[in-house]
Amino acid sequence: MKINTSEFIISAVKREQYPVDNRVELAFVGRSNVGKSSIINAITNRRKLVKVSQTPGKTRLINFFLINNDFYMVDLPGYGYAKVSKKEKASWGNTVETYLTGREQLKRVVLLVDCRHKPTGDDILMYNWIKHFGYDVIVIGTKSDKLSRMNLMKSQKVIKDTLKLTSEDKLYFFSSLNKEGRDELIDLIFDDVVESKVEENK
């Protein structure tokens, strides 16, 4: 699949602020500093589609981006930043849970984990949360340019074991810096979901 156009549509906190046009949605979620903004910019080939915050944990909004005038990429707020207060963490949880609860337009969630580190308790919780709500999930290990091929193989095992991924679960590594495998990643994330939507509308 080729991404030709991408544009910011709206930032939302409440359900009534979400788009209501029933386009398919694919959401991205991960810890603060995992490189979520960078990977969305790399996928869309737009350097500043998503602002890369210098302050981890700052974003508390759900951002909707319209792709090819056809479907939405949804940027969920990052989690796990230690300096965020309990009140802010609760607010994040409510915002994300509201979005994940019964969102029929949402067809897949992309969970980003830093491939240099073992997935945290928050990552495990997020993965299980996605599964609990019944969404298809793809796990992407970010910042893969920082590891050698051998260490990437070790990271793959650690991520699979920690998140308890099955042979059917999808795990992919990507670097927003060198963008190697970008086209394959786009196909992995979007192709079957977008194609199935097209088939349904025939």
Side-chain angles (χ1 to χ4, degrees):
M1 192 196 84
K2 189 172 182 179
I3 293 180
N4 297 309
T5 61
S6 53
E7 60 178 312
F8 169 75
I9 299 300
I10 194 171
S11 293
V13 176
K14 301 176 182 178
R15 188 181 295 272
E16 53 265 31
Q17 297 170 321
Y18 303 162
V20 294
D21 53 18
N22 288 322
R23 286 183 169 95
V24 162
E25 296 172 6
L26 299 98
F28 287 69
V29 68
R31 283 175 57 84
S32 300
N33 270 356
V34 77
K36 182 160 50 66
S37 298
S38 296
I39 200 171
I40 293 176
N41 287 340
I43 286 173
T44 57
N45 209 25
R46 293 273 305 276
R47 291 181 64 184
K48 296 182 180 179
L49 180 66
V50 184
K51 294 179 181 179
V52 180
S53 174
Q54 299 302 312
T55 307
K58 185 177 182 181
T59 302
R60 284 288 169 267
L61 302 172
I62 297 175
N63 296 309
F64 291 81
F65 300 92
L66 182 60
I67 308 299
N68 293 348
N69 199 35
D70 190 23
F71 62 92
Y72 290 105
M73 285 175 62
V74 184
D75 180 15
L76 300 179
Y79 56 82
Y81 187 52
K83 293 184 180 180
V84 171
S85 69
K86 289 183 178 180
K87 184 177 179 180
E88 286 177 303
K89 286 181 181 178
S91 175
W92 175 89
N94 290 335
T95 299
V96 174
E97 185 173 13
T98 296
Y99 174 70
L100 291 177
T101 303
R103 185 64 177 168
E104 292 184 7
Q105 294 92 326
L106 180 59
K107 301 305 180 185
R108 173 170 291 154
V109 180
V110 179
L111 173 63
L112 307 179
V113 296
D114 189 330
C115 71
R116 300 171 299 174
H117 309 292
K118 179 180 178 179
T120 66
D122 287 328
D123 291 325
I124 296 170
L125 185 65
M126 191 70 239
Y127 178 78
N128 291 335
W129 217 8
I130 297 166
K131 287 287 193 177
H132 169 75
F133 284 108
Y135 297 112
D136 181 63
V137 59
I138 292 177
V139 180
I140 297 178
T142 64
K143 307 182 182 183
S144 61
D145 60 289
K146 307 295 184 183
L147 296 182
S148 66
R149 187 176 295 273
M150 180 177 293
N151 283 331
L152 278 174
M153 292 178 65
K154 292 179 180 177
S155 173
Q156 183 179 49
K157 185 178 189 308
V158 169
I159 292 172
K160 284 185 173 180
D161 290 349
T162 305
L163 296 180
K164 295 183 171 61
L165 302 184
T166 68
S167 58
E168 296 179 355
D169 292 320
K170 298 172 184 174
L171 171 62
Y172 194 89
F173 290 89
F174 185 73
S175 164
S176 299
L177 192 64
N178 60 37
K179 300 182 184 179
E180 287 183 12
R182 173 181 173 270
D183 292 342
E184 291 86 347
L185 180 63
I186 289 173
D187 289 345
L188 175 73
I189 295 173
F190 302 112
D191 258 13
D192 56 337
V193 172
V194 176
E195 284 174 3
S196 65
K197 188 212 70 168
V198 172
E199 289 298 320
E200 289 173 5
N201 292 339
K202 283 184 177 179

